[in-house]
Amino acid sequence: AQSVTQPDIHITVSEGASLELRCNYSYGATPYLFWYVQSPGQGLQLLLKYFSGDTLVQGIKGFEAEFKRSQSSFNLRKPSVHWSDAAEYFCAVGMDSSYKLIFGSGTRLLVRP
Amino acid sequence: EAGVAQSPRYKIIEKRQSVAFWCNPISGHATLYWYQQILGQGPKLLIQFQNNGVVDDSQLPKDRFSAERLKGVDSTLKIQPAKLEDSAVYLCASSLGVRLGSLVYNEQFFGPGTRLTVL
């Protein structure tokens, strides 16, 4: 069955430090992969997506993610975190046949001043 | 461009009562989704519409939940009767849901959600 695992429930980083959020997926075919961010009381906003091609994907707000097929991973990175990045981050895999998204359980990012 | 609209934003009801949520997708988006997001979890798809037809409702508790998308535009999700475990945020999303060349365009745009508390 298709699934997405985000092993870190919470991550705390200092402002200006680098960030990596982990995501592993299980899906038989070529995956469509997404990262969404959710601020308190807000809906989900798409940060970036991978459909095919270059495995390093650039997104909004200075985020990037790298697709590694051999590791079934799609980790999110940012070189320098800003206080406004504090939010919950969700990784998702999209299924080709139905456009259905399966989400991970999320990682809450806390940013220390 | 207007985003996905949802109402109400908050709802508090007692168990066994009924409740309905409304969603208006982005204009021109053929596909509409309802997700349930329980505190501490990722969103879980309840039902997916393509125009006014149901594509996937395998995760919808059909004994108490129902949804419709008349005329293929806005949609209503209803719970009757509500249980304590239905307390969650209900998110609506929409997408174009069309193929562009060899790629499936699958970006979903989310509304702000309705936070339901069942007492």
Side-chain angles (χ1 to χ4, degrees):
Chain A
Q2 298 79 15
S3 66
V4 178
T5 301
Q6 294 181 246
D8 303 305
I9 298 175
H10 297 100
I11 282 186
T12 301
V13 299
S14 297
E15 190 169 15
S18 63
L19 171 70
E20 182 169 28
L21 302 182
R22 296 184 290 165
C23 172
N24 293 95
Y25 67 89
S26 173
Y27 185 57
T30 300
Y32 300 94
L33 296 162
F34 305 81
W35 275 100
Y36 283 85
V37 60
Q38 187 177 37
S39 298
Q42 304 295 315
L44 285 84
Q45 180 184 23
L46 181 67
L47 285 176
L48 47 77
K49 57 185 180 287
Y50 171 78
F51 285 174
S52 67
D54 193 346
T55 56
L56 185 62
V57 179
Q58 302 297 320
I60 63 171
K61 304 184 180 186
F63 285 93
E64 67 178 25
E66 186 171 13
F67 170 56
K68 294 185 177 180
R69 184 185 299 275
S70 62
Q71 298 177 19
S72 297
S73 70
F74 189 56
N75 293 349
L76 182 71
R77 301 193 293 248
K78 186 170 185 178
S80 178
V81 169
H82 188 263
W83 64 267
S84 60
D85 294 325
E88 186 135 25
Y89 292 79
F90 292 93
C91 181
V93 61
M95 297 172 61
D96 181 22
S97 59
S98 68
Y99 315 117
K100 178 177 177 176
L101 287 181
I102 297 172
F103 285 86
S105 55
T107 297
R108 180 167 297 278
L109 173 64
L110 303 173
V111 181
R112 281 193 298 256
Chain B
E1 177 182 270
V4 177
Q6 289 188 248
S7 67
R9 291 294 310 276
Y10 304 92
K11 190 73 176 179
I12 300 174
I13 62 173
E14 297 191 348
K15 60 183 179 183
R16 291 188 289 274
Q17 285 187 321
S18 302
V19 65
F21 313 127
W22 175 82
C23 172
N24 190 27
I26 293 173
S27 177
H29 280 194
T31 310
L32 185 147
Y33 313 78
W34 283 102
Y35 289 87
Q36 180 191 57
Q37 185 178 17
I38 293 173
L39 186 64
Q41 299 181 19
K44 182 186 79 172
L45 181 69
L46 291 175
I47 189 167
Q48 175 185 341
F49 292 94
Q50 179 77 10
N51 297 309
N52 60 352
V54 175
V55 174
D56 185 343
D57 63 357
S58 58
Q59 299 294 304
L60 188 73
K62 298 181 186 63
D63 58 334
R64 298 183 300 106
F65 286 65
S66 64
E68 60 183 11
R69 191 184 183 197
L70 300 176
K71 302 180 182 178
V73 181
D74 55 353
S75 176
T76 302
L77 176 69
K78 296 179 181 178
I79 308 175
Q80 180 180 10
K83 292 185 176 181
L84 296 176
E85 59 260 37
D86 298 331
S87 294
V89 175
Y90 291 85
L91 295 165
C92 180
S94 69
S95 72
L96 285 169
V98 296
R99 289 185 178 270
L100 300 174
S102 61
L103 298 178
V104 173
Y105 188 78
N106 196 22
E107 179 171 354
Q108 295 183 23
F109 295 84
F110 285 80
T114 296
R115 182 176 297 278
L116 174 67
T117 302
V118 182
L119 303 175

